């Protein structure tokens, strides 16, 4: 039975105490002396010196970082100062089968020291590394710790220049869309000492965009000045890359920190988090940056415009709001409906979100959107901006929107542009006004998938029966997995859990939807308190029909119907759970047992 468990220790079962004879050491490919700015590569070696095979669990390690994060490093320089840990965002990891190490054999894993700690000055370091390997450590049997001393030396300015030039010659220059993302780790990210700055600036000016990753990580105002000089480059891609990293050094807007979002809403780790504590900004650079941003925001490239928006949001004044709105007009008019369920269905057209966020920042500095509208429909960008600000006003600590803002709903819902229709739906008050509910119902069948999802959210809180059939239609047709999930939640909010369950039981007859349908149906059953789904396995096709019939019989029970019509999950015995497909599921209970009981036996 295959386990697919996320979050490392959360899903893994301990393998037991630290095995007798487990020992660790570090191995280097050369003498443990390194040049500051090169990757410090090492191998962690786990040796089994005991008489029996041992099992070592390393699953759940990578967590979308590109390296195994469960290794713990403690690095101390010769002055007794601990190296600063590297920040990363925990996105979970997949637990697989443990490694088995035979007696007197070894398990090896290659690591790079700077993935775990920041090494930014020369000297001698004591490096200690351990991994839990899924074991339970005790005072008598602690985790094996590998340790070694290394020496890091500072290159000369000439040597630093040669290293940068060699990398710049073989590095791909035009990768602007990857810059600043946590998965982007060119060798320049190790070059964080100021001695590399002149060569990095020269490489970036010559079009090696990855060199910006090194400049970005140098913690001083000289690096800030270098980025602003590059912002004035006559090469659009160089100036655009500079804008990205200048924005990360701007003073915190309005003195209040807020998370940066650059990847599907996840907070970006690494260099950006470092700079939140170390801004290194110079107010004398404000005028130069604002001038460059006002020019850049009028261009057509999404990256350029979005990065210029971040600069205007950070430093612009109330007069810049109109520039941002005109850029929004251009973005809206080139946007397309999001109709491909395998594509990016729920992110608005870039650089729209960046421009809208800039308006929010400028609004905090005193600019006010004019919500009073004449008889003419406002420009689409202005309409999008107003509706976005109305949706933002629903969040805590946001200024209220004047009643005149209600005049934007009708033109917004009727807009030919999907991003505007979506914004109108998200701006609606909760519950949605009666006069707009027919428009919401129509939006549930919109060609744009983002609009459909926003319409689903707009039905919440209404308890309006007119939405039941359009929502059930979305469940039946399954246009996209997130839409299907949200439609199910909305149907339950409407009090139609019984009707939704019947739809899913019918879907069990479709081979392509059987597994998905069973997941949703299992959620309509009352699990024991604290139970957490731990393991699943594929159901043989020959048994799918039998499980379908079991669900039909279950649905025919008046007690089942009574619970579901009342909006409650249905309690079941272990035996019934097994018939309904539970024999291919395993839930972990808080006391360590599994459910259904028969499965553990």
């Amino acid at each position: 039975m295959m386990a697919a468990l996320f979050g490392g220790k959360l899903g893994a079962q301990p393998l037991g105490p630290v095995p007798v004879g487990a020992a660790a050491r570090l191995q280097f490919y050369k003498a443990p002396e390194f040049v500051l700015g090169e990757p410090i590569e090492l191998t962690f070696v786990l040796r089994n010196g005991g008489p029996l095979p041992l099992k070592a669990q390393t699953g759940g390690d990578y967590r979308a970082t590109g390296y195994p994060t469960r290794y713990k490093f403690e690095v101390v320089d010769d002055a007794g100062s601990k190296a600063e840990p590297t920040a990363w965002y925990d996105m979970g990891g997949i637990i697989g089968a443990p490694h088995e190490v035979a007696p007197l054999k070894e398990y090896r894993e290659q690591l790079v020291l700077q993935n775990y700690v920041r090494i930014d000055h020369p000297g001698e370091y004591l490096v200690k590394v351990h991994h839990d390997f899924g074991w339970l450590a005790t005072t008598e049997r602690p985790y094996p710790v590998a340790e070694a001393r290394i020496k890091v030396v500072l290159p000369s300015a000439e040597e630093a220049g040669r290293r940068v030039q060699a990398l710049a010659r073989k590095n791909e220059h035009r990768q602007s869309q990857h810059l600043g993302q946590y998965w982007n780790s060119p060798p320049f990210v190790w070059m964080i000492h100021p001695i590399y700055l002149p060569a990095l600036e020269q490489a970036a000016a010559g079009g090696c965009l990855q060199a910006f990753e090194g400049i970005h990580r140098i913690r001083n105002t000289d690096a800030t000045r270098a980025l602003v000089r590059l912002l004035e480059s006559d090469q659009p891609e160089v100036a655009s890359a500079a804008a990205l990293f200048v924005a990360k050094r701007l003073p915190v807007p309005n003195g209040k920190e807020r998370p940066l979002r650059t990847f599907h809403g996840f907070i970006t780790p690494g260099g950006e988090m470092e700079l939140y504590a170390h801004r290194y900004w110079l107010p004398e650079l404000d005028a130069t940056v604002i001038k460059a941003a006002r020019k850049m925001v009028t261009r057509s490239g999404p990256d350029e415009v979005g990065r210029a928006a971040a600069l205007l949001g950070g430093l612009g004044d109330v007069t810049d709001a109109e520039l941002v709105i005109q850029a929004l007009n251009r973005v809206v008019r080139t946007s397309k409906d999001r109709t491909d369920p395998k594509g990016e269905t729920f992110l608005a057209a870039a650089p729209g979100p960046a421009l809208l966020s800039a308006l929010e920042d400028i609004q905090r500095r005193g600019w006010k959107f004019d919500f009073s509208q004449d008889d003419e429909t406002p420009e689409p960008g202005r309409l999008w901006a107003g509706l976005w600000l109305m949706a933002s006003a629903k969040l805590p600590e946001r200024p209220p929107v004047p009643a005149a803002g209600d005049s934007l709903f009708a033109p917004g819902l009727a807009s030919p542009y999907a991003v505007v229709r979506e914004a109108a739906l998200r701006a609606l008050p909760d519950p949605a006004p009666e006069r707009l509910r027919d428009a919401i119902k129509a939006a549930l069948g919109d060609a744009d998938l983002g609009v459909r999802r926003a319409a689903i959210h707009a039905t919440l809180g209404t308890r309006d029966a007119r939405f039941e059939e359009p929502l059930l239609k979305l469940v039946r047709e399954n246009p996209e997995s997130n839409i299907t999930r949200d439609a199910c939640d909305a149907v339950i909010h409407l009090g139609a859990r019984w009707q939704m369950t019947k739809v899913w039981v019918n879907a069990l007859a479709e081979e392509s939807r059987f597994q998905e349908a069973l997941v949703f149906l299992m959620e309509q059953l009352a699990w024991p308190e604290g139970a957490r789904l731990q393991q699943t396995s594929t159901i043989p096709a020959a048994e799918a029909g039998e499980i379908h019939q079991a669900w039909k019989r279950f649905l025919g029970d008046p007690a089942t119907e009574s619970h579901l019509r009342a909006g409650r999950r249905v309690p079941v015995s272990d035996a019934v759970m097994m018939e309904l497909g539970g024999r291919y599921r395993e839930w972990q209970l808080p006391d360590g047992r599994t459910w259904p009981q028969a499965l553990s036996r």
Side-chain angles (χ1 to χ4, degrees), residues 14 93 98 107 209 347 354 415 456 484 523 575:
Y107 170 77
L209 302 184
L347 291 183
S415 172
I456 292 170
T484 304
E523 292 178 0

Side-chain angles (χ1 to χ4, degrees), residues 130-364:
H130 80 269
H131 192 297
D132 65 73
F133 291 115
W135 304 327
L136 294 174
T138 64
T139 304
E140 295 76 21
R141 292 164 71 174
Y143 296 126
V145 177
E147 64 176 77
R149 295 194 70 86
I150 63 172
K151 185 177 181 180
V152 179
V153 299
L154 186 67
S156 66
E158 293 74 17
E159 184 182 357
R162 287 193 298 270
R163 286 176 175 273
V164 172
Q165 290 167 13
L167 281 175
R169 281 194 296 270
K170 64 182 180 182
N171 218 274
E172 291 186 33
H173 291 190
R174 305 299 178 182
Q175 297 177 332
S176 177
Q177 73 275 18
H178 297 162
L179 292 176
Q181 304 289 6
Y182 70 86
W183 64 79
N184 188 46
S185 297
F188 297 106
V189 301
W190 318 129
M191 299 177 174
I192 60 178
H193 191 278
I195 201 165
Y196 286 100
L197 182 57
L200 288 170
E201 182 179 358
Q202 183 178 6
C208 180
L209 302 184
Q210 296 294 340
F212 279 99
E213 296 283 7
I215 301 173
H216 170 52
R217 288 166 171 78
I218 296 175
R219 294 179 175 178
N220 62 26
T221 54
D222 288 339
T224 306
R225 291 181 187 278
L227 288 170
V228 173
R229 285 193 294 269
L230 291 164
L231 181 64
E232 297 181 284
S233 171
D234 57 4
Q235 299 180 64
E237 282 200 308
V238 173
S240 174
L244 172 66
F245 291 108
V246 168
K248 300 179 191 302
R249 292 186 174 232
L250 294 181
V252 180
N254 309 294
K256 184 174 182 181
E257 194 59 90
R258 63 191 182 109
L260 292 175
R261 291 182 173 85
T262 61
F263 177 62
H264 294 269
F266 288 112
I267 299 173
T268 306
E272 292 188 25
M273 284 187 173
E274 294 171 1
L275 286 174
Y276 267 152
H278 311 277
R279 288 288 175 166
Y280 305 109
W281 185 248
L282 295 167
E284 65 199 58
L285 300 174
D286 288 7
T288 302
V289 172
I290 292 172
K291 180 180 178 182
R294 287 170 176 166
K295 179 180 178 182
M296 191 179 293
V297 80
T298 65
R299 295 176 181 165
S300 58
D303 283 347
E304 290 177 279
V305 175
R307 293 164 183 177
L311 298 178
L312 292 176
L315 296 176
D317 59 37
V318 294
T319 63
D320 291 311
E322 191 58 33
L323 267 178
V324 174
I325 288 175
Q326 291 309 312
L328 278 171
N329 273 325
R330 294 189 292 273
V331 172
V332 173
R333 291 191 171 107
T334 58
S335 64
K336 298 178 180 178
D337 283 357
R338 296 154 290 183
T339 57
D340 181 3
K342 296 182 179 179
E344 187 51 78
T345 54
F346 304 122
L347 291 183
L355 291 163
L356 294 164
S357 293
L359 282 181
E360 288 189 70
D361 288 333
I362 295 172
Q363 180 179 244
R364 294 187 186 98

Side-chain angles (χ1 to χ4, degrees), residues 351-396:
L355 291 163
L356 294 164
S357 293
L359 282 181
E360 288 189 70
D361 288 333
I362 295 172
Q363 180 179 244
R364 294 187 186 98
R365 291 196 285 276
W367 171 72
K368 295 185 184 300
F369 184 87
D370 183 7
F371 286 99
S372 61
Q373 303 294 329
D374 52 28
D375 293 336
E376 297 182 5
T377 301
E379 297 172 298
R382 195 175 303 277
L383 186 54
W384 191 13
L387 290 165
W388 174 280
L389 294 171
M390 291 177 69
S392 298
K394 294 163 67 176
L395 301 175

Side-chain angles (χ1 to χ4, degrees), residues 75-83 121 125:
V75 181
V76 181
D77 66 15
D78 45 13
S81 298
K82 286 188 177 182
H121 60 274
Y125 293 84

